[in-house]
Amino acid sequence: MAFTFTLKHALTIPVEVDSINHAAVQQLSADEVRALPVLQGNQRAALADFFDVNLSASEPDLMVWAGDCSRVKAIGADLCSGSIRIEGNAGMHLGREMSGGRIEVQGDVADLMATGMRGGEIHVTGNAGDLVGAAWPGSKRGMNGGTILIRGSAGREAGHRMRRGTIVVGGDLGDAAGFDMIAGSIFTFGKIGACPGAGMRRGTIAAMDAATRPELLPTFKYSCLHKPVWLSFFLRELKSVGFPVPEDCLNAEYHRYCGDFLTLGKGEVLVRQ
């Protein structure tokens, strides 16, 4: 069954909806879903206090959140299957600790998207905030699988302590991308902020914009001018799913820097020539 949640009015205090997930709603009637608990600040409320709830059989295993949900937190938390479409902006903690399924956002996303993500896909047509695919404060590991595609820009510390997975940013990427990165891949087609890969052990950070010259830490060493075959295949696959990949990126050469030699030093930063 497909549920559509339409925001009734603009929110001034954020609402947390982590209890509204596929496992919770698939066996419930529309009235039972309307009565599910949510939190606004420290006050317990019902979903129907903020959203109109409609049920249809048109698209199975789908949730639609309609309206400006920029103050709706934890949409898609712990998602393991099914699809979520957000027709507008989304709040903090989108896709928190998700392990499967697909989330599509037709707008912008606030900070801490996909914290602790383990699998699945997130597609964002707008911009994303800070700490995309990052670790929880105090956690040793961030994103551990899955794919995040952001057509716009993203904030600082994307991929903080990520262990596996892929983050692709069509626009600019903030400072300290891949901070303390354990492994995985981060790509940006716009400008990249200062100190990418600070403390990284393994993994790849690629700056695809020919005009970008990232400010690397001195603990990175230049290796060579490189034309990775795997990168060409990856970009073609990315283009095949509709992500805007400039044609001149497909066969470009890249300056390869290895580091961070303050840690294991087996990571790489690729800078397009």
Side-chain angles (χ1 to χ4, degrees):
M1 304 297 285
F3 281 91
T4 300
F5 310 120
T6 305
L7 191 65
K8 292 181 176 180
H9 51 76
L11 298 171
T12 55
I13 300 174
V15 173
E16 298 186 37
V17 298
D18 53 341
S19 62
I20 315 301
N21 55 57
H22 282 73
V25 307
Q26 288 304 311
Q27 305 303 320
L28 301 179
S29 67
D31 286 338
E32 289 172 321
V33 172
R34 292 184 185 100
L36 287 173
V38 298
L39 284 177
Q40 185 176 41
N42 61 357
Q43 300 297 313
R44 188 183 178 98
L47 180 67
D49 294 337
F50 307 101
F51 291 90
D52 289 322
V53 178
N54 293 293
L55 175 63
S56 77
S58 58
E59 296 179 74
D61 211 12
L62 171 69
M63 283 186 186
V64 178
W65 297 81
D68 182 8
C69 294
S70 54
R71 291 183 182 271
V72 180
K73 299 169 67 174
I75 295 174
D78 299 309
L79 181 69
C80 58
S81 63
S83 298
I84 294 175
R85 183 170 71 243
I86 302 168
E87 297 175 349
N89 300 327
M92 296 173 66
H93 301 296
L94 175 82
R96 181 183 73 196
E97 296 186 7
M98 68 183 287
S99 58
R102 187 180 192 274
I103 299 177
E104 176 189 352
V105 183
Q106 298 171 353
D108 299 333
V109 181
D111 297 343
L112 293 162
M113 178 175 79
T115 307
M117 180 180 188
R118 302 189 302 278
E121 300 178 12
I122 298 179
H123 296 242
V124 179
T125 60
N127 302 317
D130 297 336
L131 295 161
V132 171
W136 287 104
S139 175
K140 294 181 179 180
R141 181 174 295 176
M143 181 179 178
N144 197 34
T147 300
I148 299 173
L149 304 181
I150 302 166
R151 291 198 175 214
S153 298
R156 61 182 179 82
E157 293 187 39
H160 173 220
R161 293 182 182 168
M162 73 184 293
R163 174 66 180 83
R164 292 185 182 88
T166 302
I167 299 173
V168 182
V169 179
D172 298 339
L173 186 56
D175 293 343
F179 177 56
D180 273 353
M181 185 175 180
I182 302 167
S185 302
I186 300 174
F187 304 86
T188 177
F189 290 87
K191 297 178 181 177
I192 189 168
C195 304
M200 76 186 298
R201 295 161 177 78
R202 295 183 177 87
T204 297
I205 300 174
M208 316 297 294
D209 180 10
T212 292
R213 289 295 176 267
E215 181 184 331
L216 294 175
L217 292 170
T219 47
F220 281 79
K221 296 181 180 179
Y222 181 75
S223 172
C224 60
L225 185 62
H226 189 34
K227 189 175 181 180
V229 175
W230 67 265
L231 183 55
S232 178
F233 281 105
F234 172 78
L235 293 176
R236 293 177 193 279
E237 179 65 22
L238 195 60
K239 191 172 183 178
S240 73
V241 300
F243 198 88
V245 177
E247 194 69 30
D248 56 2
C249 286
L250 298 178
N251 294 298
E253 293 184 315
Y254 296 84
H255 296 285
R256 183 174 187 260
Y257 297 84
C258 298
D260 185 338
F261 284 101
L262 281 180
T263 58
L264 188 62
K266 293 187 176 181
E268 62 177 4
V269 177
L270 302 177
V271 181
R272 186 176 158 196
Q273 186 182 26

